[in-house]
Amino acid sequence: TSPPEAKKKHATEHVPQVVHSIESAVAAVKAPAKPYVLVGSGTASFSAAQAIKEQEPNANVIIIGNESVPPYMRPPLSKELWFSEDANASQTLKFKDWQGNERNALYQDISQYEIITDVADLNKESTKIKLLLQKTVNKLDVEAHTVELDDGSVIEYNKVLLATGGSPKHLPNQSDVKNVTTFRTVDDLRKLDSIAKKNAHIVVVGGGFLGSELAVALAHRAKTEGLKITQVFPEEGNMGNVFPTYLTKWTTGRVIDEGVDVKPKHSIKSIANAEGDKVKVLFDNDEALEADHIVVAVGIEPRVELARAAGLEIDEQRAGVVVNAELESRRDVFAAGDMISFHDIQLGRRRIEHHDHAVLSGRHAGENMAGKNKPYKHQSMFWSDLGPKIGYEAVGLVDSQLSTVSVWAKASEADTPAAAVSQPENLRGVDVQDIKPSSETAAPSNKQPGNPAEGTVFSDEKFGKGLVFYTKNKKVVGVLLFNVFGKVQEARDVISNGTSVDQIEKIVSKFDIHGS
Ligand code: FAD
Ligand code: NAD
Ligand code: NAD
């Protein structure tokens, strides 16, 4: 066959025509040409769906997700939604950002989707993104180009995106204990919201992003509901796997100031049911704690089973699906978000569990599914806020195992997350649309810190605001902006320029932390 003929054959092989049934019930139906099937209804899928629609407005784009609500952003679930004055916020998912602007965790209203309840309707002509909720994709057949749902129906795809995110890890005997929950979804939020009432004692297990944000959020609720909030984890302090030790200890002090009873260096031996619907936590040091409820926030396990069973390559070290520069796992199978192991051209192979990465990689995968074929080169950022007063943003590798060089300055009222969200250049990816990296550059400050060496801490006054440069082989591989906002692009530049430890002193002025 000549090349054009070969191409034609390939094209017809992959034209998705049939939605056919296994075993019994579901009738065979003709689908419109070329459906893009996006597995998972999280941030990466929604972002990909939008990108495909931008390229091909009439494309048949189907998001399949097993949650009960349409795609939403998770960040406010452990932050702003707990600070809302509206007692019904966990139902409406409306919240005010720290600056007071009205937002909604849902990316768009349900009426803006073509809601599909029967796979037969996948045929329907519609310019909207199609959404199939409360369905789990149980099988991916990469050769037949099909996915199989939990109701037995089979959907043929042209291109498929895997964006299945991650599931919360559990404590060893968690399933034997009654009042224990993990926290990832809107359903989890609604459940915890109903528990966090009337003098309940809640123990948050875990000192990472989720545990620390939730503990502070619950402590805020405690002010009106008389709750008692205890946070337990094995590290030296909050965010101990990310921050250098001194900053971990300082941050723990602030979490305590917010009303959380923090118990660092506490490893859990076991948890158990106790009398009168209570739960008991037993620690390795033989201390014990009784409470009404335990929230477990001990990390996630990327959901790669579908991919593994389909024979796709898994990076066992990082527990992610291996994708190439175009975010493709194999032909016509793309993947994005928390579950991918991808090659970062500056920092090597990585897996990232943050919102902005889900937005950017989802969008990029969507564009490539629609034919763009561009390599993924974005350096994503992430942020976390411990209430409205403490916040940080970061780029690259931030890990407490790395050496660091830090620069600190006195903070003012303007150096808080609440002040930051009012800055238009701030990149917090709350909206999937806000994805273009900012290219603004800072006015250099003429105030310079001293001559840094690895492990150095400069402190004008405690840790009000500052920069932590994480280094590997004498090069900066990560930057943490602590109560410093709107400087994400500068941080990216530091990494992409291959800045060495010796050059840090020169580039600090770009961040203007002593100025304005
Ligand atoms: P997910 O959001 O996990 O979406 C995957 C979806 O796929 C889920 O709905 C899942 O149910 C569904 N699914 C999985 N398997 C199947 C299947 N087989 N069939 C059908 N559906 C399936 N990051 C930040 O950078 N900043 C923050 O402030 C921040 N805050 C957070 C707060 C909370 C409470 C949580 C839980 C996370 C937070 N994150 C934050 C992390 C961020 O939300 C994640 O990195 C992001 O959600 C990853 O998106 P994703 O699309 O890859 O996966
Ligand atoms: P893991 O599944 O091996 O273990 C989870 C954690 O649970 C470990 O810290 C383990 O010590 C702890 N644990 C389990 N049972 C416990 C108990 N009964 N009491 C006390 N602690 C208990 O996962 P992991 O090693 O934490 O990490 C998984 C991945 O996430 C790795 O790739 C890791 O590098 C990454 N990670 C990175 C950071 C970071 O900040 N950079 C932080 C955490 C994890
Ligand atoms: P994490 O990996 O950030 O933290 C895991 C924490 O688990 C560790 O810091 C450790 O304290 C703790 N831990 C592990 N085993 C333990 C044990 N047996 N006893 C006590 N503590 C134990 O994960 P997370 O905080 O659970 O967050 C869940 C997911 O949500 C992650 O993917 C995270 O990146 C994401 N998230 C991100 C943000 C953000 O970026 N701002 C906010 C919330 C959640």
Side-chain angles (χ1 to χ4, degrees), residues 38-46 64-67 69 72-79 107 132 135-139 149 163-167 183-185 209-210 213-214 300 303 306 336-340 352-359 361 381-385:
L38 315 182
V39 182
S41 57
T43 294
S45 268
F46 181 74
I64 306 170
N66 55 13
E67 290 194 50
V69 277
Y72 59 91
M73 59 183 96
R74 302 191 193 277
L77 271 52
S78 52
K79 304 180 199 59
Y107 287 122
L132 198 54
K135 297 278 184 210
T136 300
V137 173
N138 277 341
K139 194 174 164 204
L149 307 187
T164 48
S167 326
F183 192 88
R184 177 110 185 142
T185 63
F209 291 101
L210 182 58
E213 290 179 0
L214 259 187
I300 63 161
R303 289 195 193 92
L306 200 58
D338 278 9
M339 63 169 299
I340 61 167
I352 300 179
E353 296 175 2
H354 292 291
H355 175 90
D356 188 48
H357 168 68
V359 172
S361 63
M381 58 83 76
F382 71 84
W383 79 98
S384 175
D385 300 323

Side-chain angles (χ1 to χ4, degrees), residues 95-114:
F95 64 94
K96 285 188 178 157
D97 65 24
W98 300 138
Q99 194 57 30
N101 304 309
E102 290 271 359
R103 292 181 173 272
N104 196 309
L106 296 176
Y107 287 122
Q108 60 181 35
D109 190 72
I110 194 154
S111 63
Q112 291 175 271
Y113 297 94
E114 186 69 45

Side-chain angles (χ1 to χ4, degrees), residues 243-486:
F243 292 170
T245 311
Y246 58 86
L247 186 55
T248 285
K249 288 185 176 163
W250 184 85
T251 304
T252 305
R254 303 292 75 73
V255 175
I256 292 169
D257 290 347
E258 295 298 319
V260 181
D261 182 6
V262 184
K263 291 187 184 300
K265 297 194 237 175
H266 275 64
S267 284
I268 295 174
K269 196 187 279 177
S270 64
I271 57 170
N273 293 312
E275 272 178 37
D277 266 353
K278 300 249 176 206
V279 282
K280 200 163 60 184
V281 184
L282 194 67
F283 298 101
D284 280 347
N285 64 6
D286 287 337
E287 273 179 43
L289 195 64
E290 220 174 68
D292 296 293
H293 193 84
I294 301 173
V295 186
V296 176
V298 298
I300 63 161
E301 205 74 68
R303 289 195 193 92
V304 296
E305 291 325 311
L306 200 58
R308 192 191 295 280
L312 301 179
E313 185 181 358
I314 309 295
D315 172 352
E316 300 295 349
Q317 187 194 338
R318 297 172 189 82
V321 172
V322 177
V323 290
N324 66 13
E326 288 75 31
L327 305 183
E328 210 174 8
S329 166
R330 59 168 282 165
R331 180 171 295 176
D332 299 335
V333 181
F334 292 76
D338 278 9
M339 63 169 299
I340 61 167
S341 164
F342 71 102
H343 177 60
D344 176 327
I345 54 167
Q346 281 142 6
L347 302 171
R349 195 152 276 282
R350 300 173 70 189
R351 191 173 62 74
I352 300 179
E353 296 175 2
H354 292 291
H355 175 90
D356 188 48
H357 168 68
V359 172
L360 293 172
S361 63
R363 181 172 184 83
H364 203 95
E367 286 176 349
N368 282 350
M369 289 169 84
K372 276 216 166 172
N373 277 323
K374 287 194 317 196
Y376 182 64
K377 290 197 263 187
H378 302 292
Q379 190 55 257
S380 66
M381 58 83 76
F382 71 84
W383 79 98
S384 175
D385 300 323
L386 297 174
K389 283 185 267 175
I390 294 184
Y392 54 93
E393 299 180 342
V395 178
L397 305 178
V398 293
D399 186 322
S400 57
Q401 302 292 315
L402 297 167
S403 299
T404 57
V405 173
S406 314
V407 184
W408 295 94
K410 192 174 173 177
S412 71
E413 281 297 310
D415 303 313
T416 62
V421 286
S422 65
Q423 297 173 20
E425 74 276 21
N426 189 2
L427 278 180
R428 279 142 180 261
V430 257
D431 288 321
V432 170
Q433 285 84 353
D434 292 346
I435 52 159
K436 300 282 181 307
S438 135
S439 58
E440 115 281 6
T441 46
S445 147
N446 47 20
K447 293 177 200 149
Q448 295 276 343
N451 197 18
E454 279 173 281
T456 310
V457 178
F458 302 100
S459 171
D460 287 17
E461 180 155 309
K462 292 285 184 186
F463 305 116
K465 64 170 177 171
L467 310 170
V468 182
F469 297 95
Y470 293 77
T471 67
K472 206 180 197 174
N473 303 327
K474 303 278 174 200
K475 293 253 186 256
V476 177
V477 291
V479 183
L480 176 76
L481 305 157
F482 199 83
N483 277 338
V484 170
F485 301 98

